[in-house]
Amino acid sequence: MGLIHIDLFTTLDGVAQAPGGRNEDVDAGFAFGGWQAPITDSVVGEQVWAGMDGMDALLLGRRTYDIFAAYWPHEEGGIAELFNRIPKYVASRQAIAPEWEGSTLLGTDVVADIRELRDRHEAVHVIGSLDLVQTLFAERLFDRLTLWVYPILLGGGKKVFADGVVPTNLTLIEPAVTSPKGAVMQRYALADGTPGVGDMAAVVGEG
């Protein structure tokens, strides 16, 4: 069975809205579109590309799909070639006719359709797509979570962990990577069970 990877860029206070461009997502008057650009460097670029190794499908929400479909078919280079070549699946509450070559609109039972993608692909990556990500969190329908955490606070905007999160255990599966400008990559795997509880006084006492 294949793996579903969620890849997100986020601020230290969890904002993941519009990292890539000024007009990417201006919902609720969001004024910091493109916040990622001034604090991205070559290490981020290299690690992002390395994280795409083995990717054989994209799974996107409607807004992110529209942004990608308007941009990547006209670009060249490694990421563009990869995105244009592999199958792309779109989760949308509205019926649309995807025009980007290789795109398929998922059915009304999005969760069931996404589960079936694991049988067709080895590495399905979800990039951005915050509304869809909340559904994946709620259903525990992901296998890897990669966060690039940037050293800024925005105070408002759409959050990585919003209304979809349920108590979940994760395992850090590789050492964190820190870029020269302070972005930190953390890659987790979904783990069994739910978070436990205890008494820190007892833990400190044992020390």
Side-chain angles (χ1 to χ4, degrees):
M1 183 167 61
L3 302 179
I4 295 176
H5 299 248
I6 298 175
D7 305 322
L8 295 172
F9 302 106
T10 175
T11 65
L12 198 59
D13 57 339
V15 176
Q17 183 171 352
R22 294 179 185 276
N23 299 314
E24 183 178 318
D25 182 353
V26 296
D27 281 2
F30 187 69
F32 289 97
W35 54 262
Q36 179 188 13
I39 43 179
T40 290
D41 50 48
S42 60
V43 169
V44 173
E46 291 166 3
Q47 290 295 320
V48 167
W49 175 239
M52 294 179 182
D53 184 42
M55 178 193 298
D56 62 352
L58 272 172
L59 170 60
L60 304 171
R62 167 69 184 278
R63 186 191 294 271
T64 302
Y65 174 81
D66 286 345
I67 293 169
F68 278 28
Y71 179 78
W72 287 112
H74 312 291
E75 296 299 307
E76 298 180 350
I79 294 179
E81 292 172 3
L82 174 64
F83 285 1
N84 289 322
R85 172 175 53 81
I86 62 177
K88 294 155 282 283
Y89 300 93
V90 191
S92 175
R93 295 185 181 91
Q94 300 176 337
I96 62 171
E99 297 182 357
W100 191 5
E101 185 177 356
S103 299
T104 301
L105 177 65
L106 297 180
T108 55
D109 191 344
V110 170
V111 171
D113 284 355
I114 293 173
R115 292 188 192 281
E116 290 180 3
L117 294 182
R118 280 175 161 161
D119 296 328
R120 288 186 238 166
H121 300 284
E122 293 298 318
V124 180
H125 282 249
V126 182
I127 302 174
S129 309
L130 287 177
D131 288 343
L132 172 60
V133 165
Q134 301 313 307
T135 299
L136 300 179
F137 285 154
E139 297 289 334
R140 292 173 55 93
L141 188 50
F142 68 98
D143 304 283
R144 299 289 184 269
L145 173 62
T146 300
L147 297 176
W148 274 102
V149 182
Y150 285 74
I152 57 172
L153 305 173
L154 294 182
K158 296 176 182 177
K159 300 293 186 74
V160 172
F161 304 110
D163 298 327
V165 175
V166 297
T168 302
N169 286 330
L170 301 172
T171 301
L172 187 68
I173 56 175
E174 59 185 72
V177 175
T178 303
S179 77
K181 293 188 176 181
V184 180
M185 185 200 75
Q186 304 163 49
R187 180 163 291 134
Y188 298 93
L190 181 67
D192 293 335
T194 56
V197 298
D199 187 341
M200 281 301 299
V203 175
V204 173
E206 290 176 1

